[in-house]
Amino acid sequence: AATLAALAAGPCAADPVQRRQHVVRCRDAADCTAEAQAALDAGGEAVFAAQLYVVQPLFIRVDRLTVTFAAGARLEALRGGFRGVGGSLVTAANVSDLTIRGSCAAGAPPSTWAMWREDYLNASQGYANQGYRHGLRLENVHRATVSCLTISDTGGDGVYIAGTSGKGVAPTPGSSDVTLSRLSLLRNQRQGMSVIGALHLLVEDSLFADTNGSEPMAGVDLEPNHATDALHDVTFRRCVARANGGGGFQMYLLRGIMIPKWLFLTAVFRP
């Protein structure tokens, strides 16, 4: 069988390797958005091999999708792009049964997602300092697992978790049955992670560090925006918040927000 390394060296696009498996191969190293998006839209499994992928905003729009990043794979925001309002590196909205996994192999290079925080904060670059250019945005996502990724230098939050809300949209209370494990969320502009709405959320063995740039700059911020948002059965295990510009773990609640069940387990706060 062909190896991922051999496939990645090939000339072309998101071709199937096995039934419903699609390895992303870039036609243009300067911008691989089209090939990466095609693999995500194809369903089954999208595979990112151990190489650099420069992309504009990507979207997960299909159910029952697995996205695999090999050790050493790097998903990088196109420098000079992401000028729209709220342009995140990867957005998953209104989908279920999603798995995003990097490599946690001992001694191997990390699977990395990265943006250009210093550009977004530099007025001379022409960016609006909005704080919403997230690494991974999960919006009304159900039964999802995200593991073994380093997400850094975003222009917003490393990870943002919410339901749906807004004008003309039927609100949902949050994403549900989401597990995040072995994530390193580093040097993000607004938060390491924001939780706006979540039901049955487990976060374990993760690091939230060096958040700085736009208030509130927390490691983790639990902050429902609307009365329709909910936080129910939220668990943190063996997590570390370190050297963030704001609080390590913080919570801000609007009047009328109901939290029927809370649980923090072995969360660690470090200056």
Side-chain angles (χ1 to χ4, degrees), residues 37-51:
Q37 189 62 62
L40 296 175
D41 289 341
E45 182 179 9
V47 178
F48 291 76
Q51 66 180 68

Side-chain angles (χ1 to χ4, degrees), residues 15-108:
D15 301 323
V17 182
Q18 301 170 353
R19 185 174 178 268
R20 294 185 61 79
Q21 186 184 71
H22 306 265
V23 174
V24 182
R25 291 182 282 179
C26 307
R27 293 187 178 93
D28 181 357
D31 188 348
C32 193
T33 307
E35 292 82 8
Q37 189 62 62
L40 296 175
D41 289 341
E45 182 179 9
V47 178
F48 291 76
Q51 66 180 68
L52 172 65
Y53 297 89
V54 176
V55 296
Q56 300 181 58
L58 296 175
F59 300 91
I60 292 173
R61 301 181 279 224
V62 300
D63 295 335
R64 296 178 295 281
L65 177 69
T66 296
V67 188
T68 300
F69 290 84
R74 181 178 174 87
L75 188 70
E76 183 176 288
L78 176 68
R79 196 163 198 178
F82 291 80
R83 294 187 178 273
V85 176
S88 297
L89 188 58
V90 178
T91 297
N94 306 309
V95 296
S96 59
D97 302 297
L98 170 65
T99 299
I100 302 175
R101 59 191 182 193
S103 171
C104 282

Side-chain angles (χ1 to χ4, degrees), residues 60 67 69 73-77 89-91 100 111-115 135-137 146 149-154 158 188:
I60 292 173
V67 188
F69 290 84
R74 181 178 174 87
L75 188 70
E76 183 176 288
L89 188 58
V90 178
T91 297
I100 302 175
S111 307
T112 303
W113 297 10
M115 298 181 76
L136 174 62
R137 182 183 183 105
V146 183
L149 292 175
T150 295
I151 303 177
S152 70
D153 298 286
T154 70
N188 294 296

Side-chain angles (χ1 to χ4, degrees), residues 227-270:
T228 53
D229 296 326
L231 297 175
H232 176 74
D233 187 20
V234 176
T235 302
F236 287 78
R237 291 189 184 129
R238 301 178 302 276
C239 291
V240 173
R242 182 181 67 216
N244 296 289
F249 291 76
Q250 68 179 38
M251 177 172 62
Y252 179 80
L253 300 180
L254 296 171
R255 184 175 297 176
I257 297 291
M258 298 298 295
I259 303 182
K261 183 179 177 186
W262 258 101
L263 184 62
F264 279 93
L265 293 177
T266 59
V268 179
F269 303 82
R270 291 183 180 171

